[in-house]
Amino acid sequence: MPDNHDIALNFQLPENLKVKKFLARLDEQVSIHISSEQYSLKNYYDSFDWRLYQAGYLCEFLQSKTTSKLILLDIETEKPLLSADLDKMPSLLDEFENPAIKRMLSPVLEMRALNCLTSLPFQSYQINVLNKDQKTTVRILLEDYEALPARATIQPIKGYDKSCIRISELLTDTLELKRVKKNILQAALKLQGRKPLDYSSKLKIQLDPSMRADIASKYIYSCLLQNIKVNEAGTIADTDSEFLHDFRVAVRRTRSGLSQLKEILPIDKTASFSEYFAWLGQITSLTRDLDVYLLDFPTFESTLPENMKQAITPLHNFLKVRQVKAQKELAGKLKSPEYVLRLQEWEEYLKEPAAKKPLEANALLTIKQVADKRIWKVYQRVLKDGNAIDNDSPAEALHDLRKTCKKLRYLMEFFQSMYDETTINHAIKSLKKFQDILGTFQDCEVQEHALIQFGEDMRNEKTPTETFLAMGILVQHLQQRQQLARLDFSGRFDMFQSTENQAEYKKLFSEKN
Amino acid sequence: MTVIAAYSIKGGVGKTSTAVNLAYLAANSGYKTLIWDLDPQGASTFYFRIKPKVKGGSKKLIAGERDLDGLIKGSDFANLDVLPADFSFRNLDLVLDSRKKPKQRLEKLLKPVDKEYDLIVLDCPPNISLLSEAVFAASDILLSPIIPTTLSLRTLEQLKKFIKDNKLEHLKLAPFFSMTDRRKKMHRDIMQSLFDEHPDLLQSAVPYASDIERMGLERMPLGGFINKSRSTDAYQALWRELQDLME
Ligand SMILES: Nc1ncnc2c1ncn2[C@@H]1O[C@H](COP(=O)(O)OP(=O)(O)OP(=O)(O)O)[C@@H](O)[C@H]1O
Ligand SMILES: [Mg+2]
């Protein structure tokens, strides 16, 4: 294909130019043949957190009388990366039969469900521009949308560059079409008042450092509440496992805020809402645990020798049955007045204007003062507790350190916007790396115990002996991994408390300017 | 990538019709396909309504001065491109002869488009010449139409001998019956005896049919203007047999 960089290929019809009129005017200029005209439906898909978009993919599902196919386009170049016939758009990756689609989507989409962002009905015209031998030298795809301006796309044919340039000029100059970026998704989302990447599980709270602490903390809680609310429906419907995950993260962050940002909001309020969010954490935990085991199942399988992989299928069934049950119960609770009304109260409380003369000692500090002080304090504690851990320390010490690190992490994420971007990102990254080892250590232990417990429970279910053998291997494997994590600990901690890192933290949170 | 040459020592036996329809069927079943019209008469170029013109002519083409990809034209059909003929191809033999290693020339020219196509079909002019030897070297399958006449046996044997004498072991000869007429007793008899003597003959035969002749008026492969007929079935069967050979 020739380089079409500077030749305009994508156009939009002016509002007042009807498609029939456009075709008539085009026909006056060049010899055309409409090879097909049909009603079509273009649907765009992505995960709730825009994974495809972030990876640079645009996922189109195109339906008409004669076709039904999935097209994956590169957002930048608009070139199709993959096109495959598909009857129905599945939700989860496992439900795709086409291996090429699976291969492309799986590293990006992972466990997330695809949901339909928008459906655009349109009349599509495939127009061939012919030369005097009635040979097609360039094609124009005309899409007459019901809710958006019609679009014309030039499809060049190899070896007929001149014709392509001529048509491009004709559309621009004579027919006065407007050049556009091909991707119509943005225009369609705009109709719904949305835009791409309008949800992310990452916190993006913009804070003014001079804000009053009580006002700022309410603002932080409001952002978290927003995340709780947008993930609620997907959690109840069990669209995919990550709705609940993000829901829980927002709940945990709220709890962490309530307990750490002390003497800013009235104690009676913080105490009673803390209780509520603790309850929310508790009612969601069983489902999440089971989700995690199911998500990790392929990893479990991969640690088993080939001839034993089959043997843990009963465990999968066992988990699935329990997950379905737990999820149902959870969904019920999230529809109950207990949950709904209290959340409303929280929302209303956050909306209440701040007291003119708050009684709480820290309420009138700036949020930056609170942030610096608090982060510095928790950071010091991480260093102190970390240094107190040696090879003989009990597992408990590592678990506690993990909790403290989590607190530190949440604080840094809340207040991220008030610090130099590169520096704080780097600091968060080094913390994250350190947290990983603590996470592995704890997860292995929790999973070990859970597997043993599952084994107990499965004894009554006529489970074959091989299954228990396989589970035994899994437990052993987890123990090994946990030990490795334990051995890795001091090295990782030294990395985290390196001189440079300490200097970075000091510069960020403790130097007065 | 597989290279199939539609070739025969004899003229007017159905090489072009076969090349054009097979290329169409291959493209239709998802193979990225290129048909290269090596015949100065430009019959297959004509069937695709493309101008029989190659910038720089045979000289620059064979010299490799023009990048092959830049000379290729998209056909009106998905997955199907055409490298058109040019009147200067009438002296392809002379041009080839003036080069070092003339027999390896076509193969070398095709190298750069190797990745772009799953299948390349060469539509060759008749007779044995330097060009045909270059075609043999570049091809994986030599698809040779045979009209069931008394002479055809001799032609087939000549071709086999040539392949053997020149030790073209990489080349699969795929002879098949073309323009057959089941009503003619002579055709039936000759086909029977040739099948017995040459078990490598393909099973599918393309019958003599008026819709194949009509391609010249329509200027399209059969599939472009009829859905299904005895002829389309025959080419389809031939294509299936070739796919087996390609594996
Ligand atoms: N199966 C067939 N039935 C009827 N007519 C046919 C058939 N195959 C080819 N023809 C006609 O016979 C003539 C020669 O066919 P074609 O051009 O395919 O042969 P060719 O071997 O390529 O000829 P040349 O050696 O001139 O290149 C054409 O007019 C074509 O339409
Ligand atoms: Mg011919």
Side-chain angles (χ1 to χ4, degrees), chain B residues 108-163:
Chain B
K108 196 161 176 208
L109 287 174
L110 284 173
K111 258 267 134 45
V113 294
D114 191 308
K115 297 240 155 37
E116 220 159 304
Y117 296 100
D118 304 315
L119 178 67
I120 295 181
V121 178
L122 306 176
D123 183 17
C124 307
N127 78 48
I128 286 212
S129 60
L130 194 51
L131 172 65
S132 17
E133 290 190 58
V135 165
F136 296 166
S139 305
D140 303 300
I141 296 176
L142 201 61
L143 182 63
S144 193
I146 299 188
I147 303 179
T149 61
T150 33
L151 263 181
S152 53
L153 180 64
R154 228 173 71 83
T155 319
L156 180 57
E157 275 162 2
Q158 270 178 335
L159 190 55
K160 282 193 167 169
K161 182 168 178 327
F162 186 91
I163 291 174

Side-chain angles (χ1 to χ4, degrees), chain A residues 281-316:
Chain A
Q282 186 212 321
I283 62 167
T284 49
S285 80
L286 177 60
T287 313
R288 176 61 196 167
D289 287 348
L290 291 162
D291 281 347
V292 171
Y293 297 124
L294 287 168
L295 287 170
D296 282 349
F297 212 80
T299 323
F300 286 166
E301 267 172 345
S302 70
T303 59
L304 289 173
E306 212 47 56
N307 59 352
M308 294 202 81
K309 289 193 197 307
Q310 292 284 324
I312 51 162
T313 310
L315 175 61
H316 191 274

Side-chain angles (χ1 to χ4, degrees), chain A residues 180-295:
Chain A
V180 284
K181 245 189 108 61
K182 188 188 162 201
N183 165 3
I184 200 165
L185 176 62
Q186 299 208 0
L189 287 170
K190 211 168 162 190
L191 291 180
Q192 312 171 15
R194 291 191 62 185
K195 56 177 194 293
L197 305 177
D198 58 6
Y199 174 80
S200 159
S201 56
K202 286 213 183 74
L203 268 190
K204 278 182 235 150
I205 307 176
Q206 279 304 319
L207 293 173
D208 175 349
S210 64
M211 239 178 182
R212 262 172 60 173
D214 55 349
I215 298 176
S217 49
K218 274 194 167 184
Y219 179 65
I220 294 171
Y221 297 135
S222 306
C223 295
L224 295 170
L225 174 61
Q226 195 53 34
N227 270 7
I228 292 177
K229 280 165 58 176
V230 296
N231 282 294
E232 196 186 274
T235 301
I236 292 175
D238 200 18
T239 308
D240 66 41
S241 57
E242 301 313 284
F243 286 97
L244 174 59
H245 173 257
D246 287 7
F247 182 96
R248 276 173 58 79
V249 170
V251 166
R252 239 184 356 249
R253 282 174 166 151
T254 307
R255 286 178 67 192
S256 187
L258 286 170
S259 77
Q260 291 200 79
L261 305 177
K262 285 183 197 125
E263 299 198 52
I264 293 176
L265 297 177
I267 180 81
D268 58 326
K269 292 285 179 194
T270 47
S272 83
F273 283 117
S274 283
E275 219 172 273
Y276 170 68
F277 286 107
W279 171 73
L280 263 186
Q282 186 212 321
I283 62 167
T284 49
S285 80
L286 177 60
T287 313
R288 176 61 196 167
D289 287 348
L290 291 162
D291 281 347
V292 171
Y293 297 124
L294 287 168
L295 287 170

Side-chain angles (χ1 to χ4, degrees), chain B residues 175-177 195 201-206 233-234 236-239 241:
Chain B
F176 72 99
F177 284 116
F195 271 130
L201 262 159
L202 299 184
Q203 291 302 306
S204 22
V206 176
D233 287 349
Q236 190 73 56
L238 189 61
W239 167 232
E241 265 191 280

Side-chain angles (χ1 to χ4, degrees), chain B residues 164-229:
Chain B
K164 199 171 163 215
D165 292 351
N166 288 275
K167 302 201 170 60
L168 301 168
E169 278 117 10
H170 69 281
L171 191 63
K172 283 187 200 162
L173 177 63
F176 72 99
F177 284 116
S178 172
M179 302 191 190
T180 59
D181 189 344
R182 291 242 150 231
R183 288 165 307 182
K184 289 189 184 150
K185 181 170 179 333
M186 184 195 69
H187 272 203
R188 290 199 307 269
D189 292 348
I190 292 175
M191 282 169 79
Q192 195 48 59
S193 69
L194 248 67
F195 271 130
D196 293 343
E197 283 164 51
H198 297 274
D200 51 344
L201 262 159
L202 299 184
Q203 291 302 306
S204 22
V206 176
Y208 191 92
S210 60
D211 52 4
I212 300 178
E213 279 179 304
R214 234 176 72 215
M215 282 169 55
L217 293 172
E218 301 280 353
R219 295 187 70 178
M220 280 186 233
L222 276 178
F225 62 96
I226 39 172
N227 261 337
K228 190 177 151 58
S229 70

Side-chain angles (χ1 to χ4, degrees), chain A residues 168-181:
Chain A
S168 178
E169 284 169 0
L170 179 73
L171 296 189
T172 316
D173 303 334
T174 315
L175 298 172
E176 295 174 336
L177 304 195
K178 205 172 83 195
R179 191 176 178 167
V180 284
K181 245 189 108 61

Side-chain angles (χ1 to χ4, degrees), chain A residues 133-136 139 158-159, chain B residues 49 69 73-74 76 116:
Chain A
D133 290 320
Q134 306 292 298
K135 161 88 176 77
T136 306
R139 293 194 177 89
K158 192 176 182 123
Chain B
R49 303 170 183 237
D69 195 59
K73 302 281 179 188
D76 286 1
E116 220 159 304

